[in-house]
Amino acid sequence: MPAPLLASAFHPAHAADLCLRPGAALALAGLPPLPALARAYHAAGPAWTVRRGGAVIACGGAVRFWPGVGECWCWAGAGVDLAPVAFARLARRLVERLAREHGFHRLQAHVREGALCRDGGRAGRFVRFLGFTLEGRCPGYGPDQSPHILYGRFRTWNQ
């Protein structure tokens, strides 16, 4: 039986244990080194680490822009490919908890436009599975001026 996926509070040191997928490494190109980025994200909002059999396979969370609004981030490691469905289901529950437990009424995510996310690619399908909807294209958004696709998840006050 495969090891279950377990989520725990994120600590910046967890990022060092992550074997990033090539696409994740590409998305981080041009940003500060991963240890510095991990410290900044840890300080900026709630985050989690996902482990499988004790090994870190992903880290993610939300950078709080202001009360109720945050930008989601996820660093997926190669270990995610060993349990993609279980990881996606766990990630969806974690995103739902962000709204419920941390007071977010809007979450958004920028996905790098390219082979993995254009026209419904893996990253686009993943973020839509998490409950986000397509909002638009952001030319020049990335640190390397690459275009990104903006997805949002909004909880109305009537729900």
Side-chain angles (χ1 to χ4, degrees):
M1 179 150 107
L5 302 184
L6 301 173
S8 62
F10 173 72
H11 188 277
H14 297 163
D17 296 333
L18 191 58
C19 177
L20 288 175
R21 287 173 157 168
L26 179 65
L28 295 174
L31 294 174
L34 193 57
L37 198 57
R39 287 190 299 276
Y41 282 12
H42 181 256
W48 37 262
T49 296
V50 175
R51 296 176 192 273
R52 182 174 187 255
V56 174
I57 65 165
C59 300
V63 171
R64 191 179 302 276
F65 286 163
W66 45 79
V69 177
E71 174 87 14
C72 288
W73 58 275
C74 180
W75 301 330
V80 166
D81 294 330
L82 300 175
V85 173
F87 173 72
R89 288 177 179 161
L90 176 58
R92 185 168 52 188
R93 288 192 305 272
L94 292 168
V95 167
E96 290 167 355
R97 278 181 29 196
L98 285 172
R100 190 174 59 253
E101 296 176 11
H102 297 280
F104 288 104
H105 62 267
R106 175 182 169 78
L107 291 168
Q108 62 186 40
H110 285 84
V111 176
R112 181 183 176 91
E113 186 178 72
L116 293 178
C117 56
R118 186 180 313 142
D119 301 327
R122 182 169 58 188
R125 286 191 309 270
F126 176 65
V127 76
R128 286 191 306 275
F129 178 79
L130 298 181
F132 291 80
T133 57
L134 175 68
E135 292 187 340
R137 186 171 184 267
C138 303
Y141 180 82
D144 59 354
Q145 299 184 26
S146 61
H148 280 61
I149 306 298
L150 173 63
Y151 292 87
R153 182 180 168 127
F154 178 71
R155 179 178 45 89
T156 66
W157 294 113
N158 296 333
Q159 291 178 331

